[in-house]
């Protein structure tokens, strides 16, 4: 394990207790005693889920494609079903899966399968077409266990782990799209190659995007410092990009057996990211789009904030993060989500549109919403309901 990463983990508690973030940003970490945001009851957290998801499903047909932006919503919808047992939620995802034939990209000609970016049916190996498998695998587990539900996931992911390539995940978002698929496929099949390949792909991604000094991820190799800088000459870590990674680590750890030899590596990375994220949260509970240069693209943003809040709550609920240290962070995130991001009718606002970076001057306001932002809020709300249980 990288010694600098380990040093960061050991130093994390000291940094948090010091109450300041010296990452080159303008945020000061807010002492817990000064930010006693009220935690909801379980009923209140479930009411938030119903408000947000009810609004979304009334406004949005289930008959949409299986590409990442829609599929990411369904990962949140399945988390909402897990805590609410609302059959309407499960049925909504089933209708979506049926509409897409329980597939991502649909080409059956393996000779034309591509792993580069693409929105067409021949980009079968591109991770943005594989996130749908998370929901298909979850629906299969819930039953009925119809082999058709997982046939395409078996075909595509089985083919992929049989190749000698490790360069499948070259962008931060891809870690959320596919890492949890790998652990779910391992649980389905018992084939350890899924875990071995997941780690090989993860190590490749780390070599491209991971910054060991901050324990954060650049969105992809184009944004690595000093090749790319924020408007103030700082490292530019995109909030939603790091949100994808932090949430992916939580989802992987949720499925990875406790005795698995790979588990300490993922736990260490998860804690290191949490330590940094806790120090750069704004006093208002959100994280700005450029994490350590708030002036680069100032103001609230919901998708990154919701993913970070989800990860913090998941870590507390599962004993990986110290409750005293991190619950105030999660509570501030929840306060932002419920008092600013979620509108009175249930619409989720302040979601940065589809993109790959923090863009100075881009308008992100109460009317800015997207599938993946709603999914992220549902993940956070589902963990809050578990915390309050």
């Amino acid at each position: 394990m990288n010694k600098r990463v380990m040093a960061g983990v050991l130093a994390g508690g000291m940094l948090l207790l010091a109450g300041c973030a010296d990452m080159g940003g303008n945020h000061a970490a807010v002492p817990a005693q000064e930010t006693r945001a009220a935690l909801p009851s379980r009923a209140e957290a479930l009411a938030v889920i119903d408000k947000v998801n009810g609004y979304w499903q009334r406004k949005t047909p289930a008959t949409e494609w299986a590409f990442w932006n829609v599929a990411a919503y369904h990962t949140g919808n399945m988390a909402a079903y897990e805590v609410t047992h609302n059959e309407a939620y499960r049925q909504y995802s089933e209708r979506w899966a049926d509409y897409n034939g329980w597939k991502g990209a649909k080409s059956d000609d393996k000779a034309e399968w591509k792993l580069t970016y693409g929105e067409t049916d021949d980009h079968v190996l591109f991770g943005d077409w594989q996130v749908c498998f998370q929901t298909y695998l979850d629906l299969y587990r819930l039953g009925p266990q119809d082999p058709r539900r997982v046939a395409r996931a078996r075909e595509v992911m089985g083919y992929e782990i049989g190749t000698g390539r490790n360069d499948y995940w070259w962008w931060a978002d891809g870690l959320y799209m596919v890492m949890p698929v790998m652990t779910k496929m391992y649980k389905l099949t018992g084939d350890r190659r899924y875990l071995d390949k997941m780690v090989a792909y993860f190590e490749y991604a780390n070599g491209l995007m991971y910054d060991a000094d901050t324990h954060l991820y650049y969105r992809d190799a184009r944004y690595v410092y000093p090749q790319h800088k924020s408007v103030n000459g700082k490292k530019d870590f995109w909030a939603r990009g790091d949100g994808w990674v932090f949430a992916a680590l939580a989802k992987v750890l949720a499925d990875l057996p406790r005795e698995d030899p790979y588990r300490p590596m993922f736990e260490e990375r998860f804690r290191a990211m949490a330590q940094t994220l806790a120090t750069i949260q704004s006093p208002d509970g959100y994280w700005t789009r450029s994490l350590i240069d708030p002036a680069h693209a100032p103001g609230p943003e919901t998708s990154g904030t919701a993913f970070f809040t989800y990860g913090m709550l998941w870590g507390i609920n599962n004993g990986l993060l110290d409750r005293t240290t991190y619950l105030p962070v999660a509570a501030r995130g929840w306060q932002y989500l419920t008092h600013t991001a979620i509108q009175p009718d249930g619409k989720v606002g302040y979601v940065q549109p589809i993109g790959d970076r923090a863009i100075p001057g881009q308008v992100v306001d109460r009317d800015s919403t997207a599938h993946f932002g709603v999914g992220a809020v549902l993940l956070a709300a589902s963990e809050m309901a578990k915390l309050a249980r």
Side-chain angles (χ1 to χ4, degrees):
M1 185 56 58
N2 189 308
K3 292 181 179 178
R4 292 160 76 185
V5 174
M6 180 61 78
V9 174
L10 295 174
M14 294 176 64
L15 180 58
L16 286 168
L17 291 174
C20 66
D22 190 15
M23 289 282 184
N26 297 328
H27 295 326
V30 183
Q33 64 269 23
E34 295 180 13
T35 57
R36 297 191 182 279
L39 291 172
S41 66
R42 178 174 171 81
E44 289 168 336
L46 293 175
V48 169
I49 293 174
D50 288 340
K51 179 179 180 179
V52 167
N53 217 18
Y55 175 89
W56 184 260
Q57 292 189 6
R58 286 193 303 272
K59 299 285 186 179
T60 312
T63 50
E64 296 185 295
W65 68 345
F67 204 43
W68 75 271
N69 60 318
V70 177
Y73 159 77
H74 284 274
T75 64
N77 184 52
M78 294 306 296
Y81 172 73
E82 180 185 351
V83 295
T84 65
H85 304 294
N86 185 333
E87 280 297 303
Y89 298 169
R90 183 183 60 80
Q91 292 166 7
Y92 183 89
S93 284
E94 282 194 343
R95 289 197 302 276
W96 170 73
D98 280 332
Y99 176 78
N100 288 286
W102 300 83
K103 293 183 175 182
K106 295 182 174 62
S107 169
D108 291 321
D109 183 359
K110 293 183 176 64
E112 69 174 16
W113 285 3
K114 299 180 179 67
L115 61 82
T116 54
Y117 178 89
E119 300 182 9
T120 58
D121 277 335
D122 54 343
H123 288 86
V124 174
L125 303 177
F126 176 48
D128 283 6
W129 280 112
Q130 296 172 354
V131 59
C132 59
F133 296 148
Q134 292 188 43
T135 296
Y136 302 165
L137 288 159
D138 285 345
L139 288 168
Y140 175 84
R141 174 179 52 82
L142 292 168
Q145 294 187 340
D146 180 349
R148 186 178 69 97
R149 296 182 170 207
V150 294
R152 184 63 168 184
R154 283 180 177 272
E155 179 186 24
V156 172
M157 303 314 297
Y159 173 89
E160 187 167 303
I161 66 170
T163 70
R165 303 191 68 154
N166 292 333
D167 58 346
Y168 286 97
W169 304 338
W170 46 266
W171 74 116
D173 319 28
L175 301 185
Y176 184 87
M177 306 305 160
V178 198
M179 277 213 301
V181 175
M182 302 293 266
T183 50
K184 291 178 187 295
M185 288 300 297
Y186 170 69
K187 290 180 70 175
L188 175 72
T189 67
D191 187 342
R192 186 149 190 95
R193 289 183 300 162
Y194 284 106
L195 301 185
D196 294 337
K197 284 292 189 178
M198 176 180 69
V199 170
Y201 301 167
F202 183 58
E203 289 175 344
Y204 174 82
N206 288 332
L208 291 178
M209 299 177 286
Y210 182 63
D211 182 77
D213 293 328
T214 60
H215 313 303
L216 297 174
Y217 283 78
Y218 298 103
R219 195 275 178 173
D220 59 59
R222 295 172 298 165
Y223 299 105
V224 174
Y225 181 90
Q227 169 188 325
H228 169 84
K229 301 176 183 178
S230 72
V231 293
N232 293 306
K234 300 173 182 177
K235 294 178 178 180
D236 187 14
F237 298 104
W238 181 43
R240 185 158 70 238
D242 277 278
W244 290 124
V245 178
F246 194 53
L249 291 170
K251 288 172 75 69
V252 163
L253 287 165
D255 283 335
L256 199 62
R258 290 197 175 274
E259 70 279 3
D260 194 273
Y262 291 134
R263 190 174 179 90
M265 174 182 66
F266 289 108
E267 288 187 356
E268 184 178 311
R269 183 59 50 84
F270 179 75
R271 290 189 178 106
M273 286 193 75
Q275 172 258 307
T276 294
L277 292 168
T279 66
I280 56 177
Q281 183 185 34
S282 78
D284 291 325
Y286 62 82
W287 282 263
T288 51
R289 283 166 275 171
S290 184
L291 287 174
I292 63 174
D293 187 359
H296 179 87
E301 200 283 313
T302 296
S303 60
T305 297
F307 280 131
F308 297 146
T309 303
Y310 158 68
M312 297 288 179
L313 288 167
W314 185 91
I316 294 164
N317 284 337
N318 290 276
L320 269 74
L321 296 180
D322 175 69
R323 183 184 179 99
T324 301
T325 301
Y326 289 98
L327 188 55
V329 179
R332 288 193 294 273
W334 179 256
Q335 189 82 356
Y336 160 76
L337 293 175
T338 54
H339 288 74
T340 301
I342 300 170
Q343 305 306 305
D345 59 1
K347 181 178 181 179
V348 174
Y350 297 95
V351 179
Q352 185 188 357
I354 290 174
D356 58 5
R357 65 195 185 278
I359 302 173
Q362 183 180 38
V363 174
V364 177
D365 59 22
R366 66 194 305 273
D367 293 319
S368 303
T369 195
H371 296 76
F372 48 86
V374 177
V377 168
L378 292 175
L379 286 171
S382 297
E383 285 301 316
M384 184 59 84
K386 292 177 185 178
L387 179 81
R389 181 168 52 205

